[in-house]
Amino acid sequence: MKLVVASAGLSVPSSTRLLGDRLAAAAVRTAAEPVEVEVVELRDLAVEIAHNFTNGFPGRQLAAAIDAVTSADGLIVVTPVFSASYSGLFKSFFDVIEKDALAGLPVLIAATGGTARHSLVLEHALRPLFAHLRAVVVPTGVYAASEDWGAEGLDGRVERAAGELVGLMQGLSGTRRPAGADLAVVPFAEQLAALSSPAGG
């Protein structure tokens, strides 16, 4: 199985990347079969994402990242909290992905912030975003405030969320269809003919 971590951390080292790595490691430990993990650092794609908005085409690195995310069996997304929501870089990356490309994909949502007061970002921002993209979001999201690192509770949330993600990956792997695979294309002439033919004819 292939697991991709999309991290929107901006600094090096980054607590956002650290949380993504811990979630991925927990998923690998939990899985009954080998898991290949790939990390996509959105910070490295910022310029190509901006260019994609202006010219409509992804650069080579961005195209590779989009392919990795859309072909994965499971996805872990981690963003720092900016202005009580996900970061602009995080949202911009998912804006350049075709809307239905994540349909049916198991996704674990996670975020980091300086205070526990922003923990609801998982429910009011991240979960609705991926529900809109028709992904399958695991029930447990993971938020890590500055005081959570090294404290009790974070490890348990990480393990529970990773277990839920792996369960979905193992249950849904191989069942996803490419975006648009179920859309039949009817030629325009055929549609006109159907409109002009008598009812029941």
Side-chain angles (χ1 to χ4, degrees), residues 147 160 185:
E147 62 265 27
R160 182 169 66 248
V185 178

Side-chain angles (χ1 to χ4, degrees), residues 9-191:
L10 299 179
S11 59
V12 180
S14 161
S15 61
T16 301
R17 170 65 187 271
L18 177 60
L19 180 57
D21 288 344
R22 289 180 67 168
L23 288 164
V28 170
R29 288 194 302 272
T30 303
E33 57 186 277
V35 177
E36 173 194 350
V37 178
E38 180 177 348
V39 178
V40 175
E41 286 278 12
L42 303 188
R43 178 188 65 246
D44 299 333
L45 303 172
V47 173
E48 290 195 12
I49 291 172
H51 287 169
N52 191 103
F53 279 116
T54 58
N55 63 27
F57 297 97
R60 185 168 56 185
Q61 282 185 294
L62 178 57
I66 292 172
D67 182 65
V69 167
T70 57
S71 65
D73 297 303
L75 177 64
I76 295 171
V77 297
V78 197
T79 178
V81 174
F82 286 174
S83 302
S85 188
Y86 36 64
S87 72
L89 175 61
F90 181 87
K91 179 62 161 57
S92 294
F93 174 71
F94 288 99
D95 280 344
V96 301
I97 295 178
E98 185 180 347
K99 179 183 175 184
D100 292 331
L102 301 184
L105 176 66
V107 175
L108 192 168
I109 55 174
T112 58
T115 171
R117 292 195 300 270
H118 293 307
S119 61
L120 284 177
V121 67
L122 297 172
E123 305 305 326
H124 76 69
L126 285 163
R127 196 176 298 277
L129 170 62
F130 288 95
H132 172 72
L133 296 174
R134 297 173 54 209
V136 181
V137 185
V138 304
T140 302
V142 179
Y143 178 83
S146 298
E147 62 265 27
D148 289 326
W149 298 102
E152 291 185 13
L154 179 59
D155 286 344
R157 297 197 302 275
V158 165
E159 294 292 334
R160 182 169 66 248
E164 293 169 355
L165 176 65
V166 169
L168 285 173
M169 289 171 64
Q170 293 173 338
L172 298 177
S173 181
T175 64
R176 294 182 65 219
R177 303 181 66 184
D182 55 348
L183 299 178
V185 178
V186 180
F188 186 62
E190 188 175 323
Q191 293 182 48

